[in-house]
Amino acid sequence: MTDFEREEAAFRGAFARHTEEDDVVSFHPPRRDRRAPLLVAALVLAVVGTAVAVAGSRGHEPDAPPADGATLKDAQWIGIRNIEVEAPVGWEPKYEPGRPDCIQKSTDDPAVPGFVKQGYVVIGDPGFMVTLQGCLRPKGTDDPDPGFGELPFPLWRPYVKVVNIGGDPDGTWEFRGWRLTRKTFGDVQVSVLSAPGDDGLGAAVLASVRRVTVNHLGCAVDSPVLDRPALDGSPLPRAGAVSGVVICEYRRYPQGPGLGGSRTLSADAAKALVRAVHDAPDGFGPDRPSNCLHSPPDRALALRFLGLDGKAVSEAYAYFDSCVGNGIVTPSGTHRLTRGDCAPLFADAPIALPSAQESVSNACYDRDGSDDFLTSPARSR
Amino acid sequence: MPEGLESPALPADFEAYVAARGSALQQFAFLVTRDHGGAADLVQDVLERAWQRWDDMVAAGTTESYLLRSIANGAVSRWRKLRRLISVAEPIGHEAAAPGDDAGVAWLLCAELPPVQRVAVVLRFYEDLPYAEIASILGCAEATARSHVHRALQALRTRLREGEEDD
């Protein structure tokens, strides 16, 4: 039996097992009654009324306040997939390199001038890699627990991370007044590193966890974009009718596709993007060389264009993750990737372009050494 | 009986259809909602709406497709509504099927599939519909319908292999 035959048999067996006669509620056909339309209407109103009362707003149900009173003042929402948490406002999204052993020579003196201690947030794993450069520092007897990671202690900064699960254990660790708290919610892991004197941060962040179907920027946690469906809806508006763009990244995680990073473009940037899409040549591209497996993409973006009233008026899909079918897909047509319509999409965290075909990279990668990467202490702010 | 409250006999074709397909529609609704009570309500609601345009649908030959599409859309809408009400405090974890029980693994996996994927595999492996009809019911391209089923099969393959590695 092939894998496919086994899987098909499994689904068929499951459905057959759970639709045996004694599992099904007996069916009562509706009576034809002149009152039926009114009765149906009344029933619909009652159901809708109930649904509105409990659903909350924007597709998420806030959790009850935590019993211990832990709350965050001046918070921002961050998240991936269907999990959002509150993080301190002002903590900007950063990309962490995988092995920063050689950023700074070893010293355990956090009072050394120039060390940046501003907190940051990590929203998903961008997939960047840092190659090991052969300067591992010697292990000491007073090293922090490995659960804190490999970043040298002098470079520690408080953070809130929301990433797809990847094998790191849940738990709590302490070292010289720093506290790391990590907890998993479904396929998402939340980690909080608090600096000395801010012990309540971890509890407050974890108490704020909420499951959403639509995130705080209006991105649905599920999207068909990775399956490259036909796109219905209103055509792309003119630049003058747009007040913003919400960029929603979708990724094919090991556990299944879901929402990654998301961010918004200002009104001016949104108008420039819309003009660039309209001006871009029709059709897919750049698609040369077409020397890869023509498989569905692992990453794609959904672009939600906001009208002058702030509500979504149109949607487009951006494809860049392959050697074929790259481009901006709108309800009214497709447009090639250009510097104008692609580079702004990846200009800031947490939406990254870790790798791409050369032609796509030329259009979409326009970094100027931005501060989205964690910097060494030598660069002051 | 007061005037206006009489119940004339149902049209023969509607009544016959409901008698023949009603339970099957409810089974389909249960497989995509995984809730017996919700499935019954959903089918009742769909049939009451269909009854009002029954003659038109029969004339157009779209009865079955309309009903399955309405149930599928209702299931997806219901899933989205219920997801907003799930408490974070609920324990998160996976039930386990008995070793070697592929159907049990598939059933548990179905609860975790995105609703459109779940509907697609039920249409394919319970209703035995061709991809063109599945696409028509889901309102998507045929390639997208194939993709939904393919993704669900991949997810099941991964889950079955995980179970074998744990053994």
Side-chain angles (χ1 to χ4, degrees):
Chain A
M1 179 185 286
T2 65
D3 284 337
F4 172 75
E5 290 170 341
R6 180 186 179 189
E7 291 141 21
E8 178 179 345
F11 275 126
R12 290 186 182 280
F15 299 147
R17 182 185 298 175
H18 289 274
T19 54
E20 292 170 357
E21 284 299 320
D22 56 349
D23 280 346
V24 178
V25 174
S26 57
F27 178 76
H28 302 288
R31 293 176 59 79
R32 188 165 189 150
D33 188 320
R34 289 182 188 177
R35 296 171 302 170
L38 292 176
L39 289 174
V40 171
L43 179 63
V44 169
L45 286 174
V47 171
V48 169
T50 302
V52 168
V54 301
S57 64
R58 303 198 70 194
H60 47 76
E61 181 72 13
D63 294 304
D68 60 359
T71 57
L72 270 180
K73 296 179 183 178
D74 302 323
Q76 58 171 322
W77 287 104
I78 65 170
I80 64 168
R81 308 200 76 166
N82 66 335
I83 297 295
E84 288 193 319
V85 299
E86 287 186 327
V89 72
W91 289 19
E92 296 178 353
K94 297 292 178 187
Y95 299 132
E96 292 179 323
R99 290 292 300 272
D101 304 77
C102 298
I103 288 177
Q104 180 70 20
K105 285 188 176 179
S106 174
T107 171
D108 287 342
D109 184 359
V112 172
F115 281 93
V116 176
K117 290 301 178 187
Q118 170 64 26
Y120 63 94
V121 296
V122 175
I123 304 170
D125 170 16
F128 291 106
M129 298 296 291
V130 173
T131 56
L132 188 62
Q133 298 182 28
C135 47
L136 291 169
R137 64 187 184 92
K139 300 293 184 184
T141 56
D142 191 29
D143 280 350
D145 187 281
F148 282 96
E150 299 197 45
L151 189 69
F153 176 67
L155 301 179
W156 283 12
R157 293 167 56 175
Y159 63 69
V160 177
K161 289 186 194 177
V162 186
V163 296
N164 200 62
I165 53 175
D168 286 333
D170 286 356
T172 304
W173 299 263
E174 295 194 5
F175 181 77
R176 299 189 186 181
W178 291 77
R179 176 180 290 179
L180 174 64
T181 308
R182 190 181 287 140
K183 189 170 181 181
T184 296
F185 301 88
D187 294 326
V188 177
Q189 191 172 57
V190 180
S191 304
V192 183
L193 180 65
S194 60
D198 197 10
D199 294 351
L201 178 63
V205 169
L206 293 180
S208 72
V209 166
R210 65 183 184 184
R211 290 179 190 267
V212 300
T213 56
V214 177
N215 84 347
H216 62 289
L217 294 179
C219 299
V221 301
D222 296 310
S223 169
V225 61
L226 292 173
D227 294 325
R228 306 185 69 97
L231 192 55
D232 298 324
S234 302
L236 187 68
R238 307 307 300 179
V242 171
S243 67
V245 176
V246 179
I247 307 172
C248 313
E249 178 196 41
Y250 294 92
R251 300 176 60 175
R252 204 178 298 281
Y253 298 101
Q255 299 80 14
L259 179 67
S262 57
R263 66 185 183 91
T264 59
L265 295 183
S266 66
D268 288 344
K271 294 177 192 299
L273 176 68
V274 170
R275 284 190 211 100
V277 174
H278 279 300
D279 292 344
D282 292 340
F284 288 106
D287 286 346
R288 292 184 183 276
S290 297
N291 57 356
C292 67
L293 285 174
H294 293 191
S295 57
D298 289 331
R299 294 183 188 227
L301 304 180
L303 311 178
R304 304 179 74 248
F305 297 91
L306 308 181
L308 298 179
D309 60 357
K311 297 181 180 178
V313 296
S314 183
E315 191 174 37
Y317 293 155
Y319 296 104
F320 48 89
D321 195 34
S322 179
C323 64
V324 63
N326 295 312
I328 307 287
V329 177
T330 72
S332 51
T334 58
H335 303 268
R336 291 175 63 89
L337 297 179
T338 64
R339 276 296 185 93
D341 68 20
C342 190
L345 304 179
F346 301 99
D348 289 302
I351 297 176
L353 184 65
S355 65
Q357 296 275 103
E358 179 184 7
S359 54
V360 172
S361 180
N362 289 337
C364 302
Y365 192 83
D366 192 19
R367 310 294 291 262
D368 58 355
S370 78
D371 292 338
D372 288 341
F373 291 90
L374 282 184
T375 58
S376 75
R379 286 182 63 176
S380 59
R381 290 184 176 272
Chain B
M1 182 177 292
E3 185 178 1
L5 298 180
E6 293 177 356
S7 297
L10 290 169
D13 55 344
F14 179 84
E15 188 177 41
Y17 179 89
V18 167
R21 284 287 290 159
S23 290
L25 290 176
Q26 194 155 306
Q27 288 171 341
F28 171 70
F30 167 68
L31 291 178
V32 297
T33 62
R34 302 172 70 89
D35 175 2
H36 287 298
D41 291 342
L42 179 57
V43 171
Q44 291 280 8
D45 184 49
V46 166
L47 283 174
E48 283 182 359
R49 281 187 275 121
W51 163 75
Q52 297 181 35
R53 43 185 300 192
W54 187 254
D55 293 341
D56 291 339
M57 288 198 298
V58 169
T62 58
T63 308
E64 187 80 358
S65 178
Y66 171 85
L67 292 171
L68 290 176
R69 184 183 309 122
S70 297
I71 292 171
N73 287 340
V76 172
S77 297
R78 181 177 181 278
W79 175 85
R80 287 181 177 147
K81 193 184 299 180
L82 287 179
R83 282 290 291 266
R84 293 197 285 268
L85 304 180
I86 292 174
S87 166
V88 176
E90 289 180 357
I92 299 169
H94 294 293
E95 300 175 47
D101 182 11
D102 287 0
V105 173
W107 181 248
L108 293 174
L109 175 71
C110 274
E112 301 170 33
L113 290 176
V116 176
Q117 277 188 26
R118 186 190 308 161
V119 172
V121 292
V122 172
L123 290 172
R124 181 69 178 164
F125 300 126
Y126 180 72
E127 296 287 342
D128 279 314
L129 294 182
Y131 284 112
E133 282 196 47
I134 296 174
S136 173
I137 291 168
L138 295 179
C140 64
E142 184 174 329
T144 304
R146 290 177 182 273
S147 178
H148 286 316
V149 174
H150 176 66
R151 295 293 169 205
L153 290 171
Q154 280 188 322
L156 178 57
R157 182 174 304 179
T158 299
R159 189 63 60 84
L160 290 173
R161 288 179 178 172
E162 285 174 356
E164 289 168 349
E165 289 170 1
D166 290 342
D167 289 343

